[in-house]
Amino acid sequence: MIALIQRVSEANVTVDGEILGAIGKGLVVLLGVEKGDTDADAAKLAHKVRGYRVFEDDNGKMNVNVSQHGGELLVISQFTLAADTKRECGRASRGHRLMKQNVCTRYFVRIASVQG
């Protein structure tokens, strides 16, 4: 399981003009789920993401996590994070490392719903 996080003042996901998800201040989490990832991996990653101190405290130091900051998470599927870049596979994406979508959905919900 691989996550790339970005601190945002606001963000949304729009498909065909319809907003599917939106947050105010918080973190966008691009999440790649691979075969072999487990519920325990999702729980561990969720706590790590929520615990990263990437927001400023009253003294201007990066010392506050997203929950302490009152922020939200927007978790977005990004299967390319699990891309196999070590093999000579041209530029076509390879799906052999990717988890099935129905399993991924469970992990996305878990990561988005973990509190502080």
Side-chain angles (χ1 to χ4, degrees), residues 8-13 19 21-25 27-28 74 76:
V8 298
S9 57
E10 63 181 51
N12 67 62
V13 175
I19 296 177
I23 61 170
K25 63 184 176 183
L27 297 175
V28 169
L74 179 59
I76 302 169

Side-chain angles (χ1 to χ4, degrees), residues 4 10 17 20 24 27 31 48 50 59-60 82 84 94 96-98 103-104 111-112 114:
L4 176 69
E10 63 181 51
L20 300 181
L27 297 175
L31 184 66
K48 282 179 114 175
R50 290 255 183 214
N59 297 318
D84 184 355
R94 301 279 184 178
H96 67 277
R97 292 176 52 182
L98 304 177
V103 178
C104 290
I111 290 170
V114 166

Side-chain angles (χ1 to χ4, degrees), residues 66-81:
V66 68
S67 297
Q68 294 166 327
H69 190 65
E72 303 170 278
L73 293 183
L74 179 59
V75 184
I76 302 169
S77 174
Q78 187 65 15
F79 69 90
T80 58
L81 289 173

Side-chain angles (χ1 to χ4, degrees), residues 31-44:
L31 184 66
V33 181
E34 300 175 279
K35 287 181 181 174
D37 288 339
T38 65
D39 285 326
D41 294 328
K44 182 178 178 182

Side-chain angles (χ1 to χ4, degrees), residues 38-59:
T38 65
D39 285 326
D41 294 328
K44 182 178 178 182
L45 184 63
H47 285 287
K48 282 179 114 175
V49 167
R50 290 255 183 214
Y52 287 130
R53 295 180 298 179
V54 296
F55 294 94
E56 292 182 354
D57 64 14
D58 293 337
N59 297 318

